[in-house]
């Protein structure tokens, strides 16, 4: 039986996840789960020295998301309410597999599965793909001080990691709907028609699922 959807907006750093999920939550009148960024004590240190700070940072993200999704499961999903998030829990693995090495990576992997295997997983993913140029422009535009020294190669690699991760989810979870948006050509901020198309697709999906519940 279909459930009212749990929608996640995903994509590499600066793709527009928070922007699009906020717009969608307003348009579709859905509650939103947002990543907490400014209060993260490790992000600045991490971008200065990834090898030194990656384990602390990845564990911090994992624990925060775990708590948020545990609460979401109780508050919304168990009550058959649609909800939208500006991340998918699998994001933790995408980053951690890139930033952690050796024993720490293996320990992290085990903790990840222990914490997340029984969490509610999104059944719709809006995946915003974007080229390196677009991402760099957007990251520069928002002027977060800790991101200004970000290594371009790190971002370039994450673009590939995201593509691989989405392909792996599509194969592993055929019931998950993945809507891919080309963030280079579709401008959901400036072009209202393009935003409306995305919102309409999701409205139809929610409607279908609620009818089948
Ligand atoms: N389609 C767009 N056109 C122009 N600017 C955009 C667009 N989408 C997002 N932006 C701008 O790009 C910047 C990054 O967007 P946003 O913070 O939503 O990205 P994000 O994917 O949530 O980032 P992060 O990975 O860091 O969480 C913001 O300044 C936002 O206003
Ligand atoms: N290493 C690492 N692991 C994560 O799970 C993760 N999630 C987000 N981020 C970074 C991207 C933006 O700079 C900033 C806001 O999204 O935080 C992460 N970095």
């Amino acid at each position: 039986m279909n459930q009212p959807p749990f929608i996640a907006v995903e994509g590499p750093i600066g793709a527009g996840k928070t922007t699009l999920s906020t717009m969608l939550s307003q348009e579709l009148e859905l509650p939103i789960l947002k990543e907490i960024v400014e209060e993260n004590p490790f992000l600045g240190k991490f971008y200065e020295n990834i090898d030194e700070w990656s384990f602390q940072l990845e564990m911090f993200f994992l624990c925060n998301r775990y708590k948020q999704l545990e609460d979401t499961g109780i508050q919304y999903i168990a009550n058959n309410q649609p909800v939208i998030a500006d991340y998918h829990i699998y994001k933790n693995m995408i980053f951690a597999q890139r930033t952690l090495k050796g024993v720490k990576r293996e320990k992290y992997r085990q903790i990840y599965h222990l914490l997340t295997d029984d969490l509610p997983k999104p059944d719709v993913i809006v995946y915003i793909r974007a080229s390196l140029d677009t991402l760099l422009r957007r990251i520069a535009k928002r002027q977060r001080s800790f991101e200004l020294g970000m290594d371009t190669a790190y971002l370039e690699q994450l673009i590939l990691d995201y593509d691989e991760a989405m392909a792996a989810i599509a194969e592993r979870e055929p019931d998950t709907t993945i809507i891919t948006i080309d963030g280079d050509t579709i401008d959901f901020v400036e072009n209202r028609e393009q935003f409306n198309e995305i919102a309409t697709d999701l409205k139809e999906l929610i409607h279908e699922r609620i009818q089948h519940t």
Side-chain angles (χ1 to χ4, degrees):
M1 185 170 43
N2 279 336
Q3 297 271 320
F6 174 12
I7 302 162
V9 179
E10 261 304 353
I13 305 171
K17 299 176 289 295
T18 307
T19 308
L20 180 59
S21 51
T22 304
M23 292 170 75
L24 286 170
S25 87
Q26 285 162 0
E27 176 69 22
L28 306 179
E29 298 181 348
L30 296 182
I32 182 166
L33 296 188
K34 265 195 206 177
E35 190 102 272
I36 299 154
V37 176
E38 304 307 331
E39 292 155 33
N40 187 320
F42 300 114
L43 260 174
K45 296 181 176 113
F46 168 82
Y47 281 118
E48 279 167 24
N49 187 340
I50 293 189
D51 287 343
E52 180 68 21
W53 290 97
S54 52
F55 191 72
Q56 284 91 328
L57 181 76
E58 304 310 348
M59 287 302 299
F60 182 89
F61 272 118
L62 180 58
C63 293
N64 274 358
R65 290 177 182 140
Y66 171 74
K67 170 77 181 121
Q68 216 178 23
L69 290 173
E70 194 191 26
D71 293 346
T72 302
I74 295 165
Q75 201 181 344
Y76 300 112
I77 295 164
N79 292 313
N80 275 341
Q81 277 189 33
V83 58
I84 185 161
D86 73 352
Y87 63 88
H88 187 300
I89 191 70
Y90 192 65
K91 171 180 198 159
N92 288 287
M93 281 299 265
I94 300 176
F95 278 90
Q97 288 189 49
R98 186 55 52 198
T99 67
L100 299 176
K101 298 188 184 83
V103 175
K104 283 187 181 153
R105 186 198 285 188
E106 183 48 28
K107 285 188 176 172
Y108 180 91
R109 205 186 56 77
Q110 290 180 22
I111 300 167
Y112 171 85
H113 284 295
L114 200 66
L115 288 183
T116 67
D117 280 355
D118 61 353
L119 282 180
K121 298 286 185 316
D123 33 41
V124 179
I125 303 174
V126 180
Y127 171 37
I128 311 170
R129 296 188 76 229
S131 64
L132 184 64
D133 277 356
T134 301
L135 296 180
L136 286 172
R137 235 179 308 114
R138 294 199 178 141
I139 290 168
K141 182 176 162 189
R142 79 180 159 197
Q143 288 282 312
R144 281 182 185 148
S145 55
F146 53 81
E147 286 176 348
L148 297 178
M150 190 190 299
D151 185 357
T152 305
Y154 172 67
L155 190 57
E156 205 166 13
Q157 183 60 58
L158 280 173
I159 295 173
L160 301 176
D161 293 343
Y162 259 97
D163 270 343
E164 261 180 41
M166 290 301 142
I169 291 177
E171 199 171 311
R172 199 172 58 229
E173 302 170 19
D175 289 341
T176 302
T177 304
I178 302 180
I179 299 172
T180 302
I181 293 177
D182 180 350
D184 292 340
T185 56
I186 295 180
D187 187 337
F188 43 79
V189 175
E190 301 294 334
N191 187 325
R192 194 70 203 176
E193 257 176 49
Q194 290 185 334
F195 170 72
N196 286 343
E197 274 178 35
I198 302 170
T200 304
D201 282 353
L202 283 171
K203 276 181 198 162
E204 281 170 8
L205 248 163
I206 293 172
H207 186 68
E208 267 171 35
R209 284 181 176 256
I210 287 178
Q211 276 194 330
H212 284 100
T213 304

